[in-house]
């Protein structure tokens, strides 16, 4: 069984920084692309940043230059460094990974999310 768990959320003032982590555990053979999404109250879930297994990254225009996604394949973790945070970044942040299990099942997995609140 595979599990994704986010951590690192919290309350921060505008202009501050937070670092989110997404840790994968279980019967994992390989982790391909991992994406951070976020969902603010009353709004649809939106893509924040993606990183492939090889390290290629992609960002939403709204976070370019402020957020950095990175991964440690040896530790099965993906991080999201968030700087210059704005009140508009307030949301629940979720990670999603494409994972091949030891049983050769290839599927998408989601974490439960971590709350990020940016005060003005």
């Amino acid at each position: 069984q595979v599990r994704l768990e986010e951590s690192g959320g919290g309350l921060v003032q505008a202009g501050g920084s937070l670092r989110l982590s997404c840790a994968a555990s279980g019967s994992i053979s390989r982790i391909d692309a991992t994406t951070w999404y976020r969902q603010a109250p009353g709004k649809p879930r939106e893509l924040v940043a993606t990183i492939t297994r090889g390290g290629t990254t992609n960002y939403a225009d709204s976070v370019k230059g402020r957020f950095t996604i990175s991964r440690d394949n040896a530790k099965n973790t993906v991080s999201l460094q968030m700087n210059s945070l704005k009140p508009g970044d307030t949301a629940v942040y979720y990670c999603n990974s494409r994972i091949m299990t030891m049983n050769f099942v290839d599927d998408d997995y989601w974490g439960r999310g971590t709350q990020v609140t940016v005060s003005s």
Side-chain angles (χ1 to χ4, degrees):
Q1 190 169 353
V2 172
R3 179 182 178 189
L4 289 183
E5 185 170 8
E6 303 95 339
S7 62
L11 173 64
V12 65
Q13 287 189 331
S17 298
L18 284 173
R19 186 176 181 87
L20 305 184
S21 291
C22 173
S25 61
S27 181
I28 296 169
S29 175
R30 187 186 71 245
I31 302 175
D32 294 313
T34 295
T35 300
W36 282 97
Y37 292 85
R38 66 186 181 187
Q39 188 166 21
K43 294 187 177 181
R45 190 170 294 188
E46 64 174 349
L47 184 149
V48 176
T50 298
I51 187 166
T52 67
R53 180 170 178 79
T56 300
T57 60
N58 184 54
Y59 297 91
D61 288 342
S62 60
V63 306
K64 281 181 181 176
R66 300 189 298 123
F67 290 11
T68 303
I69 189 170
S70 60
R71 67 188 294 158
D72 184 332
N73 290 334
K75 295 182 178 179
N76 290 339
T77 60
V78 172
S79 297
L80 184 69
Q81 178 66 42
M82 305 187 297
N83 298 328
S84 302
L85 282 162
K86 305 175 182 180
D89 295 316
T90 295
V92 178
Y93 284 71
Y94 300 89
C95 67
N96 168 277
S97 291
R98 186 77 180 183
I99 295 175
M100 173 75 77
T101 69
M102 293 294 190
N103 293 327
F104 304 106
V105 174
D106 190 22
D107 206 350
D108 281 321
Y109 294 86
W110 289 88
R112 291 188 171 186
T114 185
Q115 176 70 47
V116 171
T117 303
V118 184
S119 63
S120 57

